[in-house]
């Protein structure tokens, strides 16, 4: 199968590209590295079945040759990212999704949308089943992401009804693991970065708000299962084990052996108080459920960050006083250069692609 993965240079996207290649598929990765990183896909560039295109999918999505499936993952996903890039987030959720759908329509390809638990907003129903319509503030600061994904789901199902596109929708709950950016402002990456650098772990509210943390390998297995099916869904993909943010902080401190203190700050606007997926539909229809418990997942994630300890100082400064579900970060790590390392370590332009690949403008 030949799969086009939008946002393939991001945290989730790069893991999906890797998993597809590992099982023998061909992959066309499209990304403009607004929130992704060339480093994520550098090991894949020498793979004979991997192609890279520098592309802004909000402008166009063009892939030459056969396309059997489209996995649409392109979007800022952490609150600091989409609060810093509100218009870009709305564009990729609307125009970007439509462009990716047109590609699927053109090739009669399976289309999988990476949606989000943010569809449910600050839920009034707990835990969240796919039948719940959500509690979203359409004009709040988080609406640029929430409503972009809600529109993406709506236009995807409209393409299914109107044009017969083979659509599948995944609603992704908090995912963590290697390749998270230390400065992206999500709670797991922030806590690990702060713990490893001796910075205070910042908790918003009393720490009693809950999340359900799913390790990236498990999440990707769910996406692949959905990709291989003909099911629409939507399907909740996440870990149904609910943990408080304070519990997570204690786990990270124990895992790292850090003596960092914990500091509390007021909850930000529209911060969801509780979040836990019901995954019965995914279990019964896709045969999927998470397997990696949080202790093992955090061990692997801490090891990834520890191996890059020399890079954490700037990120710790950037996220000081901030973590997941917060206002935009006041500082960020330097922007990623728009080049990707070639197979031998030499830099190559991001517009390079395998022979026969059409390169979209970015």
């Amino acid at each position: 199968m030949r799969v086009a993965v939008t946002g393939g240079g991001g945290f989730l996207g790069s893991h999906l590209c890797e998993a597809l290649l590992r099982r023998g598929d061909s992959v066309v990765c499209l990304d403009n590295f607004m929130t992704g990183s060339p480093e994520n896909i550098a090991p894949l560039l020498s793979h004979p079945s991997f192609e890279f295109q520098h592309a802004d999918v909000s402008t166009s999505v063009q892939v030459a040759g056969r396309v059997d499936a489209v996995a649409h993952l392109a979007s800022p996903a952490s609150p600091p990212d989409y609060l810093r890039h509100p218009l870009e987030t709305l564009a990729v959720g609307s125009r970007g999704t439509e462009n990716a759908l047109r590609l699927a329509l053109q090739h009669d390809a399976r289309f999988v949308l990476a949606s989000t638990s943010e569809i449910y907003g600050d839920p009034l129903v707990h835990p969240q089943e796919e039948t719940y319509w959500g509690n979203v503030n359409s004009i709040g600061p988080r609406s640029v992401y929430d409503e972009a994904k809600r529109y993406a789901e709506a236009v995807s199902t409209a393409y299914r009804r109107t044009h017969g596109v083979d659509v599948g929708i995944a609603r992704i709950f908090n995912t963590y693991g290697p390749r998270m950016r230390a400065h992206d402002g999500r709670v797991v990456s922030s806590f690990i970065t702060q713990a490893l650098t001796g910075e205070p772990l910042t908790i918003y509210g009393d720490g009693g708000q809950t999340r359900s943390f799913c390790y990236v390998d498990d999440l990707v297995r769910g996406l692949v299962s959905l990709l291989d099916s003909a099911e629409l869904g939507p399907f909740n993909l996440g870990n149904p084990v609910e943990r408080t943010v304070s519990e997570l902080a204690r786990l990270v401190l124990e895992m790292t052996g850090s003596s960092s203190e914990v500091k509390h700050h007021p909850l930000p606007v529209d911060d969801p108080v509780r979040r836990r997926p019901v995954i019965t539909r995914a279990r019964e229809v896709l045969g999927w459920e998470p397997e990696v418990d949080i202790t093992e997942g955090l061990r692997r994630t801490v090891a990834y960050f520890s191996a890059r300890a020399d890079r954490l100082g700037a990120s710790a400064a950037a996220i000081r006083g901030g973590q997941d579900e917060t206002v935009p970060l006041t500082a960020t790590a330097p922007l990623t250069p728009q080049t990707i390392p070639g197979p031998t370590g030499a830099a190559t332009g991001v517009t390079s692609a395998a022979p026969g690949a059409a390169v979209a403008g970015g």
Side-chain angles (χ1 to χ4, degrees):
M1 183 161 67
R2 188 166 184 250
V3 186
V5 181
T6 73
F11 163 51
L12 279 182
S14 63
H15 281 279
L16 178 60
C17 289
E18 190 174 45
L20 293 171
L21 290 171
R22 191 162 51 239
R23 73 172 193 167
D25 291 334
S26 297
V27 173
V28 182
C29 167
L30 302 99
D31 209 306
N32 66 353
F33 297 128
M34 186 174 78
T35 58
S37 170
E39 183 180 5
N40 291 338
I41 60 169
L44 308 180
L45 294 174
S46 60
H47 196 292
S49 298
F50 182 79
E51 306 169 28
F52 173 76
Q53 297 184 25
H54 183 261
D56 178 355
V57 299
S58 300
T59 302
S60 66
V61 180
Q62 302 174 32
V63 177
R66 188 186 85 253
V67 176
D68 301 303
V70 178
H72 183 43
L73 277 65
S75 178
S78 72
D81 280 337
Y82 56 70
L83 292 172
R84 280 197 303 272
H85 303 290
L87 298 180
E88 292 88 345
T89 301
L90 287 163
V92 75
S94 55
R95 295 192 298 272
T97 302
E98 292 182 45
N99 288 335
L101 282 162
R102 290 189 190 100
L103 178 69
L105 176 62
Q106 176 187 349
H107 292 272
D108 192 24
R110 171 71 165 162
F111 178 87
V112 167
L113 172 68
S115 188
T116 175
S117 60
E118 290 290 335
I119 287 288
Y120 303 120
D122 186 7
L124 303 178
V125 172
H126 189 81
Q128 293 81 55
E129 296 186 73
E130 292 92 343
T131 53
Y132 178 49
W133 291 358
N135 177 43
V136 175
N137 177 2
S138 65
I139 60 172
R142 301 167 69 98
S143 65
V144 295
Y145 185 63
D146 300 357
E147 298 295 355
K149 290 296 188 179
R150 288 166 72 90
Y151 177 81
E153 288 196 12
V155 74
S156 296
T157 52
Y159 262 74
R160 182 180 174 105
R161 295 187 189 106
T162 305
H163 298 300
V165 175
D166 183 12
V167 167
I169 298 171
R171 290 178 177 167
I172 297 171
F173 283 67
N174 299 70
T175 306
Y176 70 100
R179 296 183 201 153
M180 297 182 81
R181 292 172 299 145
H183 63 280
D184 73 2
R186 302 186 206 215
V187 64
V188 172
S189 54
S190 290
F191 279 179
I192 292 174
T193 298
Q194 290 167 333
L196 290 175
T197 56
E199 291 277 336
L201 274 61
T202 49
I203 292 180
Y204 284 75
D206 63 5
Q209 66 269 40
T210 66
R211 298 294 181 264
S212 300
F213 299 104
C214 186
Y215 187 66
V216 64
D217 289 0
D218 284 334
L219 193 285
V220 167
R221 281 193 303 102
L223 289 177
V224 172
S225 295
L226 180 57
L227 197 68
D228 287 344
S229 77
E231 298 290 339
L232 168 62
F235 292 94
N236 286 340
L237 295 183
N239 195 319
V241 178
E242 186 177 4
R243 296 182 183 276
T244 68
V245 172
S246 289
E247 283 182 90
L248 177 69
R250 286 195 297 272
L251 280 170
V252 169
L253 291 174
E254 290 171 8
M255 187 79 57
T256 58
S258 173
S259 58
S260 292
E261 61 180 327
V262 173
K263 288 191 174 180
H264 291 261
H265 300 266
L267 273 175
V269 176
D270 297 332
D271 181 63
V273 176
R274 300 190 73 186
R275 186 177 287 160
R276 175 162 66 91
V278 174
I279 63 168
T280 303
R281 182 180 290 181
R283 280 193 179 115
E284 294 179 349
V285 178
L286 301 179
W288 174 87
E289 63 181 336
E291 297 173 354
V292 180
D293 86 350
I294 195 164
T295 302
E296 175 60 18
L298 282 178
R299 185 192 66 77
R300 299 178 192 177
T301 310
V302 168
Y304 174 84
F305 278 76
S306 296
R308 292 155 179 78
D310 58 323
R311 308 182 191 181
L312 297 183
S315 294
I319 61 174
R320 187 170 293 134
Q323 49 106 339
D324 193 17
E325 325 295 355
T326 70
V327 296
L329 302 182
T330 56
T332 62
L335 292 176
T336 302
Q338 295 302 297
T339 57
I340 54 178
T344 60
T348 59
V350 290
T351 54
S352 63
V359 180

